[in-house]
Amino acid sequence: MLAIFRATHLVLMVGLLSPYAAPQAARLGLFTHQRDELADPQGVAFKADGSILVCDATARVIRRLSPQLVPIAETPLAARPGTPMRPVGVAVDRDGRVYVSDAAADCVRVLDVDGAPLKIIGRRGRGDDELCDPAGIAVHGDHIFVADSGNHRIMRFLREGTAAAPIGRYGQAAGELNRPLGVALDGQGNIYVADTDNHRIQKFDAAGGFLKMWGDFGYFPGLLSEPSGIAFHAGQVYVADKLNHRIQVFSSDGDLVYEWGLHVFEPHEGRGKFHYPSALAIAEDGGLAAVAESFEDRVQLFGLSSGPTSDIPPLPPMEPGLSSHFGPPVSVGGKLLVLSEPESRKVLIYDYTQPTPIQIHNFGAFGCRLGQFSRISAVALDPGRDRLYVADIGNRRLCEFALSRGDGPLKFEPRMSRFVRAIDLADATLMQRGECTWPVEPSAMLVTAAGLVLLDARNARVLTLSRELELTQGWGRRGTAVGELWRPSGIAAGRDGEALFIADGELGRVGAFSTSGEFLYALQTPRDRVTGPVQPSGVAAGVDGCVYVTDAATHRVLKFSERGEFIKLWGSRGLGAGQFFKPGGVVQTAEGRVYVVDFGNHRVQCFDGEGNFTGVFGARLYAQAARRSAARP
């Protein structure tokens, strides 16, 4: 492992010297056009005529745009009614056929030149012809290459659908992968992979043999933070460096050539500035780059510039954590509110007894050692035992921490947390007893009288662990029928502890279950008055006997009785008080306050149980916008 680390950094050192050493030829990075108000654009590709295909994941369509991003046509993707679908990657072959990776149905959909369906390749599973959460896709000659992110490999298929040997497996060593999200090929058939959770690029030969790798986690040029999209053109590798908010361009050997893009300054601004770029494509003639920002629901186009470096200002290195970019997970209990910060990989603990919650502790950093995190997916407080649980699916483990607060006035407490233990979420015994095909991936957790309840999004299961973190119960079945789950996203316990409310973002519904898994009823909305949740994200059941559901697709909060009757909703897309952008987790305190993680606006908003805005905290400009709107008469 040490040899790999040194080799990686040697490549980085060479790369860091190269961006400005050679005379600058015309290069991509000059902003030209922008298309807003898309619906979670996850993948982009250029057709031979220069038009651009965009996968709109939430709308389930492939949009065709002109080189000026003017809409030309859109192709709805056909599926059986009620069948989940999430198109996330798109590629075009030499005959004009279109290949779309579907992360919800775990397959590749093949369309003819007119957008009519031809065939489906792959199915859900771990076998050599199966897929799990496919992401980026590329076509080279007669082969299709798919970033099989849930199986941590690159799958290869012939165009007629026959599978070839996969490339890679889970791990951190050379040739191993951790949630790869992008794949591209050069003219010789060499394969370039965005090895996302290993924060690096790997290069394989046409037979799948490892050649080299470059990159490591970090913020300086040549370093990467969740590289998600990748493209190859004219000897250069283009990488969407997602959490660094930039595009980096490398030679085929890994030397850094240049970079472009700036992190946004004002909320949601674009026009050359980036906010989590997730995919990109280069036109055949190399004159245009299309960059998808699924977070902002937009695509930007960039042309060639032959001017000085200042025309395309590089992103200054900046360690995250200077402002709070909250992740969706949230938990509350014992006067504490717990959040996560995805870019710094920290857990943040607030005292919510003040009018504006005050941060009193934080811990964690990027890494694989105990107490460090890679990708936090869920948090859960057990205030009765002064325990905090953190699910880190990037490192495949569940960690338990003890919490202790000092006496006296409110203050920052640097020694508040202490690591207790961790369990391996890929443990074979846990997976076997829990009837899990893949390692457990909690999307949400909560503490009940029965123990720690994990909502396993990958396996569509609900698992209960004892205080010793041993499995005591597991239930749930993947499907679309009543009482089945597909990709559950949020969980809450009713006031009496007898019912569990589970939000399923992929199926667009929220159901009530007994603690043993019996389906009880669904939360209903009157269709003649209001549309139900489209993409429910978080769910809370509080002291007032009501259930609160956040809807990331329609940017609002819905309120129900614990019997499932619709009561009211509030919110819309925007920056003002009571407005949201892709809200995530939601909790209710013992005093009845409702906290909503306004994920897309980098803030947390507070309401009373009737939806009246009472406060906000988070990233300065985003929080200020809410305060100003609330202050207007």
Side-chain angles (χ1 to χ4, degrees):
M1 192 67 180
L2 181 59
I4 295 169
F5 180 84
R6 287 174 174 167
T8 302
H9 281 75
L10 178 59
V11 172
L12 280 173
M13 290 301 292
V14 174
L16 287 174
L17 297 175
S18 63
Y20 312 110
Q24 293 178 7
R27 62 190 195 181
L28 288 167
L30 180 67
F31 172 79
T32 63
H33 297 88
Q34 179 171 308
R35 169 59 58 179
D36 296 300
E37 297 184 359
L38 299 172
D40 194 16
Q42 292 276 351
V44 288
F46 280 91
K47 298 193 73 173
D49 63 2
S51 61
I52 303 157
L53 299 180
V54 179
C55 283
D56 254 2
T58 301
R60 301 180 176 182
V61 300
I62 304 299
R63 302 189 192 275
R64 186 180 173 202
L65 308 176
S66 76
Q68 294 76 39
L69 296 184
V70 176
I72 298 174
E74 65 178 51
T75 303
L77 294 175
R80 295 190 308 274
T83 301
M85 178 187 293
R86 184 156 44 96
V88 296
V90 61
V92 183
D93 72 10
R94 59 177 179 260
D95 299 320
R97 284 176 292 195
V98 177
Y99 300 80
V100 179
S101 54
D102 184 340
D106 301 297
C107 67
V108 174
R109 300 180 183 274
V110 186
L111 314 177
D112 67 15
V113 293
D114 297 317
L118 289 175
K119 66 176 69 175
I120 291 177
I121 297 173
R123 59 183 179 178
R124 182 175 176 84
R126 303 182 73 175
D128 286 348
D129 61 346
E130 296 174 324
L131 298 165
C132 178
D133 211 2
I137 187 170
V139 180
H140 181 77
D142 292 326
H143 286 83
I144 308 163
F145 297 79
V146 184
D148 187 11
S149 70
N151 288 321
H152 310 283
R153 64 188 181 184
I154 302 298
M155 275 301 304
R156 296 183 289 181
F157 298 92
L158 292 174
R159 287 199 298 172
E160 70 266 18
T162 304
I167 299 169
R169 62 179 183 180
Y170 174 79
Q172 291 76 43
E176 296 179 335
L177 303 169
N178 190 355
R179 197 171 65 103
L181 292 181
V183 59
L185 287 93
D186 64 21
Q188 288 71 49
N190 295 314
I191 304 156
Y192 301 83
V193 179
D195 188 5
T196 304
D197 278 1
N198 282 328
H199 310 282
R200 64 190 181 189
I201 305 300
Q202 295 207 57
K203 180 179 179 180
F204 301 85
D205 63 25
F210 172 78
L211 292 176
K212 62 170 49 187
M213 62 185 179
W214 65 86
D216 199 356
F217 175 79
Y219 322 107
F220 292 97
L223 300 177
L224 300 163
S225 184
E226 289 195 13
S228 300
I230 191 167
F232 184 92
H233 187 273
Q236 294 182 336
V237 182
Y238 295 77
V239 179
D241 188 8
K242 184 176 180 179
L243 267 61
N244 283 328
H245 311 279
R246 64 187 174 193
I247 305 299
Q248 296 203 70
V249 185
F250 300 88
S251 73
S252 60
D253 290 324
D255 296 333
L256 179 63
V257 181
Y258 67 97
E259 61 176 293
W260 86 79
L262 283 170
H263 189 303
V264 301
F265 295 117
E266 299 290 334
H268 307 302
E269 67 176 332
R271 302 187 61 81
K273 297 184 177 69
F274 288 132
H275 210 189
Y276 305 105
S278 51
L280 79 164
I282 311 297
E284 278 191 21
D285 63 3
L288 282 176
V291 180
E293 296 167 274
S294 60
F295 188 89
E296 290 289 353
D297 292 336
R298 70 187 178 207
V299 170
Q300 296 192 55
L301 275 188
F302 297 85
L304 293 169
S305 170
S306 56
T309 304
S310 58
D311 285 352
I312 311 170
L315 177 73
M318 180 182 70
E319 183 171 353
L322 301 179
S323 64
S324 298
H325 289 187
F326 301 121
V330 60
S331 185
V332 70
K335 311 302 182 185
L336 299 179
L337 183 73
V338 179
L339 298 154
S340 68
E341 211 290 330
E343 295 184 41
S344 64
R345 277 72 173 182
K346 287 184 179 293
V347 175
L348 314 176
I349 301 180
Y350 289 78
D351 184 306
Y352 72 74
T353 60
Q354 306 302 306
T356 298
I358 303 296
Q359 187 180 145
I360 59 172
H361 183 65
N362 66 67
F363 65 94
F366 171 78
C368 59
R369 296 192 295 270
L370 295 177
Q372 297 177 327
F373 306 108
S374 173
R375 188 156 48 98
I376 297 171
S377 62
V379 293
L381 271 169
D382 183 355
R385 299 178 58 238
D386 294 322
R387 290 291 191 268
L388 171 63
Y389 300 94
V390 180
D392 177 10
I393 59 177
N395 283 321
R396 289 180 161 186
R397 64 186 175 216
L398 173 67
C399 300
E400 178 183 346
F401 297 86
L403 302 178
S404 60
R405 294 189 65 176
D407 298 326
L410 181 67
K411 63 181 184 299
F412 189 82
E413 306 203 23
R415 295 182 176 85
M416 184 176 176
S417 62
R418 175 177 57 84
F419 175 80
V420 176
R421 58 185 155 183
I423 63 169
D424 182 5
L425 295 174
D427 177 73
T429 301
L430 173 64
M431 291 174 59
Q432 181 179 14
R433 292 185 57 204
E435 300 180 27
C436 300
T437 304
W438 288 270
V440 177
E441 292 193 3
S443 56
M445 304 187 295
L446 79 159
V447 175
T448 69
L452 178 65
V453 181
L454 311 182
L455 188 62
D456 181 3
R458 176 68 71 206
N459 296 287
R461 299 280 289 168
V462 179
L463 308 177
T464 303
L465 307 183
S466 68
R467 289 186 174 183
E468 291 71 37
L469 300 186
E470 295 179 352
L471 183 69
T472 60
Q473 180 181 246
W475 54 267
R477 178 177 175 179
R478 192 174 193 262
T480 60
V482 172
E484 293 181 328
L485 305 171
W486 197 271
R487 196 177 185 89
S489 52
I491 188 169
R495 187 168 44 174
D496 59 6
E498 296 300 317
L500 296 175
F501 297 92
I502 297 179
D504 195 314
E506 212 72 79
L507 295 179
R509 65 193 187 194
V510 181
F513 297 80
S514 71
T515 55
S516 59
E518 177 189 359
F519 177 75
L520 302 176
Y521 51 87
L523 274 60
Q524 302 286 347
T525 53
R527 296 294 179 180
D528 58 335
R529 290 174 46 211
V530 60
T531 302
V534 175
Q535 190 180 336
S537 177
V539 59
V543 296
D544 58 2
C546 296
V547 180
Y548 299 85
V549 178
T550 55
D551 188 345
T554 61
H555 319 285
R556 60 188 183 174
V557 177
L558 295 88
K559 180 180 178 180
F560 301 84
S561 73
E562 281 200 349
R563 293 302 308 164
E565 297 95 355
F566 174 76
I567 297 175
K568 68 183 304 181
L569 64 81
W570 71 88
S572 61
R573 179 170 177 167
L575 280 166
Q579 294 183 311
F580 307 102
F581 187 49
K582 301 184 178 181
V586 56
V587 291
Q588 188 176 37
T589 70
E591 297 80 14
R593 301 179 198 170
V594 178
Y595 287 98
V596 178
V597 179
D598 191 2
F599 175 55
N601 283 327
H602 298 316
R603 64 191 184 187
V604 175
Q605 295 194 63
C606 181
F607 304 87
D608 63 22
E610 295 303 311
N612 298 306
F613 174 83
T614 60
V616 63
F617 66 99
R620 180 175 59 87
L621 293 178
Y622 295 85
Q624 280 181 353
R627 294 190 188 105
R628 286 171 181 160
S629 74
R632 296 190 192 109

